Amino acid sequence: YNDYILDYYFGFFSPAFVTVQAFTGTYGINYGRIANNLPSPDEVVTLLKAAKIRNVRIYDADQSVLKAFSGTGLEIVVGLPNGNLRDVSADGDHAMSWVQDNVLAYLPDTCIRGIAIGNEVLGGSDQFSGFLLGAVKNVYNAVNKLKLSDVVQITTAHSQAVFANSFPPSSCVFRDNVVQYMKPLLEFFSQIGSPFCLNAYPFLAYMYDPEHIDINYALFLPTVGANDPKTKLHYDNLLDAQIDAAYAALEDAGFKKMEVIVTETGWASHGDENESAATVDNARTYNYNLRKRLAKMKGTPLRPKNVVKAYVFALFNENLKPGPTSERNFGLFKPDGSISYDIGFPGLKSSSADSLLLSLKV
């Protein structure tokens, strides 16, 4: 027993026992940058610290962001973009130099806690599907050789397109055309202790089927909810049901113990004419209630012990994103750093009275 304690404190555990904790608390945010009018990364640090948001995801490994985050204590997950998967999958040396240049070079001053390998690779076009597992393994091997595997967690985020029959949650399974890629990926992730990362949007589900989904159920508002006839579990909000659908698919595939983390969820505050649910009021309601839901530190009906953790999408409205208007309006903040709507976070732009007071103090 004493040896065990010593091993624990002095870190003699073999990697098989190490599970990286890449997420502090339950609330994080995605810092997307497909825009030409955003504040500087240094201002973003000020904004995040004022909002007390510690967990951040970016979709690349941008130098200016990683430098700005240095010494801040903010915990960041960097992304290997889909366009890099082929090269990194084909060549371990390529993976090693990517990890050295984009991760090792910034540690430990910048708290890089994870590398997301691609984003929503499976379930859409199969353009990158065949490269995902090779890229994951090569990046993990590089991280492991650099003795960083207990610091930096390797994951990949999935959209709900990987699932078939997601309602009721207990009926959810992985789609037939995804299984061949998903099974070996989950096998590897279970070996290295990585979670299943899910991009879950009650907003999109509601927009797709407004006739059958009560908007209050999507917005965490009081509602009759939904029952799962197989498990006899009751759901009072759609996000919990989406997470439990993922747990059911994992269990069906033989990975009952794997944790699900929500890597993107959010609600658009503005949309096109056919996107009537994208309003400031709905976005405020969803994001405010999501904060309250996460602050409870509780699990889902199917996995009550697995505390729900989620990264909100997104930090800013991004004016250069393609697609419908809603895509450019998921931000909790506007590009000038002011809040898009009030869910309890302070914005960068204080009122003129505040700045007058500050200048008098100075």
Side-chain angles (χ1 to χ4, degrees):
Y1 176 77
N2 288 346
D3 287 350
Y4 173 86
I5 293 293
L6 285 173
D7 282 358
Y8 183 78
Y9 280 113
F10 293 108
F12 298 142
F13 270 164
S14 73
F17 291 95
V18 173
T19 304
V20 191
Q21 289 305 323
F23 201 122
T24 302
T26 58
Y27 192 94
I29 202 156
N30 287 278
Y31 171 18
R33 299 188 325 283
I34 305 175
N36 60 7
N37 56 357
L38 298 184
S40 72
D42 289 317
E43 290 175 292
V44 171
V45 166
T46 305
L47 185 70
L48 290 166
K49 289 190 130 177
K52 298 188 168 62
I53 299 174
R54 189 163 166 188
N55 305 290
V56 186
R57 290 173 69 86
I58 58 175
Y59 293 89
D60 50 24
D62 183 81
Q63 239 186 344
S64 61
V65 174
L66 294 178
K67 281 183 179 157
F69 277 53
S70 174
T72 61
L74 296 168
E75 305 193 345
I76 189 164
V77 174
V78 298
L80 177 78
N82 290 1
N84 295 42
L85 292 176
R86 183 194 292 263
D87 290 347
V88 168
S89 166
D91 185 358
D93 291 341
H94 198 94
M96 176 59 86
S97 53
W98 191 92
V99 172
Q100 285 171 327
D101 294 347
N102 296 290
V103 179
L104 184 66
Y106 297 95
L107 290 169
D109 298 347
T110 301
C111 296
I112 298 175
R113 305 307 303 270
I115 305 171
I117 312 294
N119 187 48
E120 300 190 344
V121 174
L122 304 182
S125 76
D126 269 349
Q127 195 182 353
F128 303 111
S129 301
F131 308 122
L132 181 58
L133 181 61
V136 163
K137 286 185 170 175
N138 281 346
V139 170
Y140 177 77
N141 289 339
V143 163
N144 205 25
K145 274 185 193 149
L146 296 168
K147 304 215 173 351
L148 299 174
S149 57
D150 56 348
V151 180
V152 179
Q153 186 179 67
I154 310 299
T155 57
T156 187
H158 302 287
S159 78
Q160 290 178 290
V162 298
F163 301 129
N165 336 319
S166 54
F167 191 82
S170 60
S171 68
C172 187
V173 292
F174 289 112
R175 275 177 38 194
D176 288 346
N177 61 341
V178 165
V179 170
Q180 56 171 324
Y181 302 114
M182 187 65 83
K183 273 272 182 77
L185 186 67
L186 295 174
E187 194 70 60
F188 186 68
F189 278 152
S190 71
Q191 286 165 17
I192 65 172
S194 292
F196 182 87
C197 292
L198 176 66
N199 295 345
Y201 285 94
F203 169 72
L204 296 177
Y206 174 77
M207 293 244 301
Y208 179 69
D209 193 5
E211 280 178 38
H212 296 103
I213 296 175
D214 174 8
I215 193 156
N216 289 347
Y217 180 62
L219 292 171
F220 303 95
L221 289 170
T223 166
V224 294
N227 292 312
D228 189 318
K230 186 175 157 197
T231 59
K232 307 287 188 281
L233 294 171
H234 176 76
Y235 290 88
D236 59 16
N237 71 81
L238 181 49
L239 183 67
D240 277 8
Q242 289 179 328
I243 294 168
D244 276 355
Y247 277 124
L250 286 167
E251 187 167 343
D252 176 72
F255 299 93
K256 186 177 179 177
K257 291 191 172 146
M258 191 171 282
E259 180 187 15
V260 173
I261 289 178
V262 176
T263 31
E264 285 181 19
T265 189
W267 198 285
S269 61
H270 183 57
D272 294 320
E273 273 177 31
N274 63 346
E275 299 181 301
S276 58
T279 66
V280 168
D281 204 35
N282 287 345
R284 181 196 297 114
T285 302
Y286 183 81
N287 278 298
Y288 178 73
N289 287 334
L290 175 70
R291 270 193 85 187
K292 281 202 316 196
R293 161 73 184 84
L294 295 171
K296 287 178 180 162
M297 312 276 291
K298 69 186 187 79
T300 56
L302 189 64
R303 292 283 187 274
K305 291 194 174 115
N306 290 12
V307 173
V308 174
K309 302 169 186 170
Y311 291 88
V312 175
F313 188 87
L315 191 53
F316 298 109
N317 290 334
E318 297 172 74
N319 67 343
L320 299 181
K321 284 198 86 169
T325 298
S326 59
E327 281 289 310
R328 294 177 285 287
N329 289 280
F330 272 90
L332 298 186
F333 297 90
K334 294 176 181 169
D336 65 2
S338 63
I339 55 175
S340 298
Y341 41 81
D342 187 7
I343 61 165
F345 291 134
L348 263 187
K349 301 283 268 199
S350 54
S351 69
S352 50
D354 287 349
S355 43
L356 183 65
L357 196 65
L358 190 66
S359 59
L360 288 172
K361 276 186 185 163
V362 171

